Amino acid sequence: LQIHVMRADGSGDVSETGVVWRYLGIGRSLSTVSVVDGLVYAAEHAGKVHCLDAATGQIAWVYDTRDEIWSSTLVADGKVYVGTRRGLTVLRAGREREHLADIRLGTPVWSVPTAANGTLFVASQKNLFAIEEQGEMPAEKR
């Protein structure tokens, strides 16, 4: 499979003349891409998340979740979230590959995580999780 980036100002058959760049390094995908801060994040079914430069298509990194991905990526709060067969994988957004967490939810996440009003919503096949940052715990309560 391929990712094609096309110019929006063409007319007629722009399948060749309108191509800005192509990326051939992605496998079968059921996902849409996320584009944030000049980077494209794309997930493939076999478990890899690809980060590409949005202007050139140059690959920045690939991360292998070693799990099936049926979800699209979500970029929020400087992180890339993607649902997997086992739960949720969290990567740092940006040009450097950094794995932050694998959150096992006990059931697959096929839907796209969603962020709204400071809360991350993750729908698994059995549950809907609402994750909210509570701030740092006071020292006396740790």
Side-chain angles (χ1 to χ4, degrees), residues 44-66:
E44 68 176 78
H45 182 262
K48 293 180 180 174
V49 178
H50 302 252
C51 176
L52 310 167
D53 183 285
T56 66
Q58 185 101 352
I59 188 162
W61 51 260
V62 176
Y63 179 80
D64 191 351
T65 67
R66 293 182 165 79

Side-chain angles (χ1 to χ4, degrees), residues 69-93:
I69 296 175
W70 289 46
S71 171
S72 298
T73 56
L74 166 73
V75 181
D77 193 30
K79 298 170 189 74
V80 180
Y81 300 93
V82 65
T84 69
R85 187 170 38 92
R86 293 188 192 124
L88 188 70
T89 293
V90 185
L91 307 167
R92 175 129 7 249

Side-chain angles (χ1 to χ4, degrees), residues 4-24:
H4 291 244
V5 173
M6 309 291 284
R7 281 192 300 280
D9 59 356
S11 63
D13 182 0
V14 295
S15 57
E16 291 302 322
T17 60
V19 174
V20 176
W21 56 261
R22 287 186 176 110
Y23 176 63
L24 308 176

